[in-house]
Amino acid sequence: MTPKENLLALLHGEKPDAFVNEWEPYGNVFDPLMGATLTAKEGEYVKDPWGVTVYWGKDEPGVMPIINDETKVLKDITEWRDYVHAPKLAEMDLDWTAAREQAEQIRGEGKLVMSLMATGLFEQSHYLMGFEDTLVNFLMEPDDMHELLDYLLEYRMTYARLLVENLHPDILLHHDDWGSKTSLFMSPDTWREFFKDRYKRFFGYFRENGIIVMHHADSYCEPIVQDMVDIGIDIWQGVLPTNDIPKLQQEFGGKIVFMGGIGSEIDVKDHDEQEIRAEVQRACKTYAPGGSFIPSITYGAAGSIFPGVDDIVMDEIRKQSAVYFR
């Protein structure tokens, strides 16, 4: 099977003939919506279209909001309408020509066209007001938080419609981290109250249009995996080894695919090749028997921070395929 065929076999509950090797089945398209909304530059402090100050440091895997008394966009949730202004996507003059050409080339290579949509509902909330205010406001000001999340959802539905109508990717890579390495950021019931129905509507739109939903959360999400299935996530990307992956495979295998399991701790400047290979071997040995598994570093995109690390990971995954898929 090709990498694409192996992935589709996993999604359909069939047996592939090799591990899906990290991101091999996909080709990522840089679409104009990404260009208009993801404005971070490595090594610089930048204001994004929401007015949030963000920073992407050297040797860091992604962008972080810089929240303090001076930069905080939303200081009082009860006044969110005065300070939170979504980018007006429908009014932008977006040229999709290059993205469509790139998508055509990717499909010509036998791969799935992937579009990235970052900064989900929870992340957008704490980008605007910080972690502490966001979590406290769930408890102290739930009505305003519901209204703000409805506003954020409508923006994202507009984004989704423009993406589907103009490009129609095969797979959506969506980011929203809901927990730390060892726990959710909130109780499961709080997550369900504020996010479950909204995400069911959002992901449902993509699924209605035949698009595979991959959700990145390199977090401990074990208590809400059934909810992740309910809202339409096909692939949980970034699943950390601190989740009981074998237990989740036994309970949810065939309903959701687990992509990850290889700790990012191996990605260091002075990396040790044998340590990297040992971690890949551990992940494959531990999770291959349960099925519905794609070995991968838990980052939310292809590659590694330090050159050479991911090359070793992918080479070892290929070797492990010969062991587990004879």
Side-chain angles (χ1 to χ4, degrees):
M1 293 181 181
T2 65
K4 175 181 173 180
E5 290 169 341
N6 272 325
L7 174 69
L8 295 177
L10 269 183
L11 290 172
H12 296 150
E14 301 167 2
K15 186 173 176 61
D17 63 9
F19 284 121
V20 175
N21 197 334
E22 295 201 298
W23 301 87
E24 274 191 338
Y26 328 109
N28 195 57
V29 171
F30 186 83
D31 64 69
L33 287 169
M34 290 176 60
T37 58
L38 300 180
T39 54
K41 298 179 182 178
E42 188 174 357
E44 297 183 24
Y45 290 90
V46 178
K47 279 195 175 182
D48 73 10
W50 295 84
V52 177
T53 301
V54 297
Y55 181 74
W56 189 354
K58 180 176 173 57
D59 296 338
E60 294 179 0
V63 178
M64 292 298 293
I66 306 302
I67 310 295
N68 53 45
D69 290 340
E70 181 181 346
T71 62
K72 188 183 291 186
V73 172
L74 181 56
K75 298 179 180 180
D76 185 341
I77 184 62
T78 65
E79 299 177 354
W80 72 265
R81 295 167 190 79
D82 297 327
Y83 295 97
V84 179
H85 306 291
K88 296 181 179 179
L89 300 176
E91 298 179 12
M92 294 180 180
D93 184 17
L94 302 174
D95 185 354
W96 292 85
T97 305
R100 289 172 181 147
E101 291 175 352
Q102 188 181 6
E104 185 177 351
Q105 179 180 349
I106 290 168
R107 290 192 175 107
E109 296 170 355
K111 295 185 177 183
L112 296 166
V113 173
M114 172 180 284
S115 287
L116 167 65
M117 190 173 180
T119 319
L121 292 172
F122 175 67
E123 290 179 349
Q124 188 65 69
S125 299
H126 76 70
Y127 270 47
L128 292 167
M129 63 184 111
F131 261 91
E132 296 88 347
D133 286 7
T134 301
L135 296 174
V136 168
N137 286 331
F138 287 139
L139 303 179
M140 302 300 293
E141 302 289 349
D143 292 343
D144 283 293
M145 282 300 295
H146 276 295
E147 291 175 2
L148 173 61
L149 288 169
D150 283 341
Y151 179 77
L152 299 180
L153 177 60
E154 290 309 317
Y155 161 80
R156 297 175 71 73
M157 293 303 300
T158 299
Y159 190 119
R161 285 189 287 270
L162 288 170
L163 181 64
V164 171
E165 291 171 2
N166 288 281
L167 187 64
H168 205 288
D170 302 305
I171 184 165
L172 172 75
L173 171 57
H174 182 270
H175 282 217
D176 205 12
D177 289 326
W178 296 324
S180 71
K181 189 174 183 178
T182 57
S183 68
L184 288 169
F185 289 133
M186 65 204 80
S187 73
D189 285 342
T190 298
W191 182 90
R192 292 178 187 117
E193 176 185 349
F194 288 94
F195 296 105
K196 184 169 182 177
D197 287 345
R198 291 181 174 94
Y199 267 123
K200 190 171 185 178
R201 178 186 169 198
F202 176 71
F203 289 143
Y205 174 75
F206 287 96
R207 290 177 62 106
E208 288 165 7
N209 283 278
I211 295 170
I212 299 165
V213 174
M214 176 190 288
H215 180 77
H216 166 78
D218 50 351
S219 317
Y220 178 84
C221 293
E222 191 172 322
I224 59 168
V225 175
Q226 180 60 62
D227 303 284
M228 295 168 74
V229 173
D230 294 343
I231 64 179
I233 294 173
D234 297 298
I235 303 170
W236 173 12
Q237 191 276 320
V239 55
L240 295 174
T242 49
N243 295 275
D244 189 342
I245 297 175
K247 174 186 172 184
L248 296 174
Q249 289 173 295
Q250 185 176 9
E251 188 170 355
F252 300 105
K255 300 177 182 177
I256 190 170
V257 170
F258 301 94
M259 179 177 175
I262 299 173
S264 60
E265 296 85 355
I266 60 175
D267 188 12
V268 294
K269 185 175 183 179
D270 299 318
H271 55 267
D272 183 296
E273 179 174 342
Q274 293 310 310
E275 289 182 3
I276 295 171
R277 292 188 183 277
E279 170 61 7
V280 175
Q281 292 166 15
R282 179 206 63 80
C284 292
K285 180 179 181 179
T286 306
Y287 311 130
S292 298
F293 172 66
I294 299 172
S296 173
I297 302 179
T298 54
Y299 294 144
S304 53
I305 296 175
F306 295 98
V309 171
D310 200 46
D311 294 332
I312 298 169
V313 170
M314 294 187 71
D315 181 65
E316 188 59 39
I317 291 172
R318 280 188 286 271
K319 292 181 178 180
Q320 293 302 306
S321 282
V323 175
Y324 294 99
F325 293 87
R326 294 178 181 175

